[in-house]
Amino acid sequence: KPNDICQTARGDIYFTDPDFAKPGPEGRSAVYRVSPSGELKKVIDNMALPNGIIASHDGRTIYVADSHEKLWRSYNLQRDGSLDEGRVFFNPEVEDRSSPDGMTIDERGNLYFTGRGGLWVVSPQGKSLGFVPCPVFVSNVAFGGVDGKLLFITGSKKVFSLKGKISGRGLERTGIE
């Protein structure tokens, strides 16, 4: 049951496969890599519930939302496409423990994470740059609009939009604003 997906500049595709029915050590959650030649390989098998995923612009880091531990992790990409053991990247000290979910990245490499009460904007160094509280659980986020500066946030039966000053990277321009 693949959930979220990203692609690196060198063409590798990474996707999360969370086992929502059986999260934890007995579950079959994992993160996979599909190489440009089509080879499929499991690259993370020790996360109980991987969810959102995105690659850094420089292709050196993969970020994964850990919906079981309720935080975000980062993994260094190795030359062969495998990932290192990873580390906790972002874990804000807030009472809200709603699950981290979707994510996106802007042209400067700042990350946008949904979960834990809203939308978090985080630097590539893991520092909070801002927080947008949301009245409902938010699940995904993406840039769009003619100039790529319109941020769409999906929530429980709602879609929010925020006009920003920074665009998302690598967006297809749809002409919709």
Side-chain angles (χ1 to χ4, degrees), residues 70-87:
K70 315 293 188 200
L71 49 79
W72 293 267
R73 299 184 182 280
S74 65
Y75 296 83
N76 293 319
L77 263 159
Q78 309 303 306
R79 287 192 180 275
D80 65 356
S82 65
L83 304 176
D84 71 359
E85 70 282 351
R87 66 180 179 88

Side-chain angles (χ1 to χ4, degrees), residues 3 9 11 15 19 25 28 38 48 73 83 85 132 134:
N3 185 49
F15 66 91
D19 187 349
R28 296 185 312 198
R73 299 184 182 280
L83 304 176
E85 70 282 351
V132 179
C134 294

Side-chain angles (χ1 to χ4, degrees), residues 17-40:
D17 184 18
D19 187 349
F20 290 110
K22 199 173 190 181
E26 283 83 46
R28 296 185 312 198
S29 294
V31 176
Y32 293 89
R33 170 186 167 252
V34 180
S35 71
S37 67
E39 177 190 8
L40 176 68

Side-chain angles (χ1 to χ4, degrees), residues 56-58 61 63 74 87 89 105-113 121-129:
S56 64
H57 293 323
D58 63 10
T61 309
Y63 302 95
S74 65
R87 66 180 179 88
F89 175 73
I105 191 167
D106 69 25
E107 64 189 359
R108 295 181 183 163
N110 297 315
L111 301 147
Y112 296 71
F113 295 150
V121 183
V122 181
S123 75
Q125 294 76 34
K127 303 295 180 205
S128 175
L129 299 176

Side-chain angles (χ1 to χ4, degrees), residues 44 72 159 174:
I44 299 174
W72 293 267
V159 177
T174 61

Side-chain angles (χ1 to χ4, degrees), residues 103-170:
M103 56 182 75
T104 193
I105 191 167
D106 69 25
E107 64 189 359
R108 295 181 183 163
N110 297 315
L111 301 147
Y112 296 71
F113 295 150
T114 64
R116 302 287 294 269
L119 177 70
W120 294 90
V121 183
V122 181
S123 75
Q125 294 76 34
K127 303 295 180 205
S128 175
L129 299 176
F131 175 69
V132 179
C134 294
V136 297
F137 172 76
V138 290
S139 54
N140 280 296
V141 59
F143 283 97
V146 175
D147 60 2
K149 295 180 181 178
L150 192 58
L151 197 62
F152 292 98
I153 306 162
T154 61
S156 302
K157 299 182 182 182
K158 296 188 182 293
V159 177
F160 304 95
S161 65
L162 295 172
K163 185 68 172 164
K165 295 180 181 179
I166 301 172
S167 74
R169 176 179 174 262

